[in-house]
Amino acid sequence: MTDRSRDLLALRGLPVERLRALLGAADRLADGAVPPAPHTGRTVATLFFEDSTRTRGSFTAAARRLGAEVLDLSGKHTSVSKGETLADTARTVAAFGVDAVVTRTAQSGGARVIAGAIGVPVINAGDGRHEHPTQGLLDTLAIARAHHRSPGFDLTGLHVLIVGDIANSRVARSSTAALTALGARVTLIGPPPLAPPGLRALGAEVAHDLDQHLAHADAVMMLRVQFERLGDAPPPFTVRGYRAGFALTAERAAHMKRDAVVLHPGPMNRGIEIDGAAADGPRSLIAEQVRLGVHVRTAVLDAALRAEPARTGATAGVPALSAAGAVR
Ligand code: NCD
């Protein structure tokens, strides 16, 4: 059996000790700790089948900080677009001798399919509408640090609103899992088609009135309306109607609690779900989220690369070339 314990596929169901360990390691890096033991000679493959700027860049920066090489196999021109299955593409990448695979897929569950096909750790960088665990970790770290809850990460008493296109959001699912596991109260807010009651199964409350909750929240995470995931049907609301109910305008931001913070995973649609005054104002953690993202991914990759890779399963017997050219 392949050891899958060093995968990071989802935050939902992750043991809380592992959650705290990853957050703790990232927190120390954010405070200036020297990156952990170098992973010189190891190779991290990035295999992104969907567009990404900050996530892929941030994983690349993190891998390099650890001294690892990055083999970027992303793009619309992978063999998957020619009809090859995800599993076959993953086996090909693994056979190059890489030590970890960071992947983003359009399919929910895509990262798990890849993990099932290869013998090295797999990090999910977003799979369809399912999860985006490193984003959930960095959101949680940003909120915990802003409210002086690190390094213990007990978030009891904090109320977090996640606002917007919840139904299509893997970020909302991962962040909700981490925040609630650590004791925070989470309310998912959006128009009914984007925040259906079934989302209560995530362990959060579901609401449709932002103004009712905003004044009591400790953190507000705004999400992009993912027009590309709404399908061919016209959106079930107008931009004007959406803004009237759910945009974080300067006026709404002014009604928030004194120490409440604003987050957005990016990319932002300024003028739709968030206005410049809120995105760039003193409450905003948006730039801090990007900074913490590199530290979270450094901690996650370090954990994945730390032990000797279990070269079993599909990659059994495939030797890896180290940077020095020696076969390990
Ligand atoms: C998010 C994603 O791709 O899920 N972005 C990101 O990773 N920073 C959110 C989004 O695309 O709206």
Side-chain angles (χ1 to χ4, degrees), residues 6-130:
R6 282 174 295 121
D7 291 339
L8 183 63
L9 303 181
L11 296 186
R12 188 170 162 85
L14 198 74
V16 79
E17 315 78 68
R18 187 155 175 227
L19 199 56
R20 281 187 211 276
L22 290 172
L23 289 169
D27 190 47
R28 290 189 290 279
L29 290 168
D31 282 339
V34 180
H39 295 286
T40 317
R42 316 296 291 283
T43 302
V44 174
T46 49
L47 184 60
F48 279 50
F49 300 102
E50 270 193 348
D51 294 338
S52 169
T53 309
R54 73 203 73 212
T55 304
R56 187 156 57 87
S58 167
F59 270 110
T60 301
R64 293 197 176 136
R65 286 187 71 197
L66 290 167
E69 304 276 329
V70 179
L71 182 61
D72 182 26
L73 298 155
S74 303
K76 303 252 188 280
H77 306 294
T78 58
S79 293
V80 168
S81 62
K82 298 182 186 167
E84 187 174 64
T85 66
L86 270 185
D88 282 334
T89 304
R91 282 187 200 104
T92 303
V93 171
F96 293 156
V98 303
D99 299 288
V101 173
V102 179
T103 189
R104 168 171 285 191
T105 62
Q107 302 93 306
S108 302
R112 189 169 294 280
V113 169
I114 289 173
I118 63 176
V120 295
V122 174
I123 315 294
N124 180 11
D127 61 330
R129 298 176 173 80
H130 175 230

Side-chain angles (χ1 to χ4, degrees), residues 166-167 173 188-208:
I166 314 291
R173 283 172 180 76
L188 305 172
I189 301 183
L194 300 184
L199 291 169
R200 291 199 182 100
L202 299 177
E205 295 158 38
V206 174
H208 308 295

Side-chain angles (χ1 to χ4, degrees), residues 3 35 42 45 61 66 96 98-99 106-107 206 214 246 249 265 291 296-297 305 307:
D3 169 22
R42 316 296 291 283
L66 290 167
F96 293 156
V98 303
D99 299 288
Q107 302 93 306
V206 174
L214 197 60
F246 302 101
T249 57
R291 185 182 85 88
V296 161
R297 288 161 184 137
L305 293 172

Side-chain angles (χ1 to χ4, degrees), residues 50-52 54-55 104 125-126 128 132 135 169-171 223-224 226 228-229 264-267 297:
E50 270 193 348
D51 294 338
S52 169
R54 73 203 73 212
T55 304
R104 168 171 285 191
H132 190 349
Q135 183 71 45
S169 176
R170 52 199 178 203
V171 176
L223 298 177
R224 184 173 70 90
Q226 301 192 34
E228 78 277 18
R229 293 193 200 279
H264 194 306
R297 288 161 184 137

Side-chain angles (χ1 to χ4, degrees), residues 126-152:
D127 61 330
R129 298 176 173 80
H130 175 230
E131 282 230 23
H132 190 349
T134 55
Q135 183 71 45
L137 287 171
L138 77 88
D139 293 340
T140 303
L141 183 60
I143 292 170
R145 284 172 66 91
H147 285 284
H148 312 291
R149 302 296 180 98
S150 69

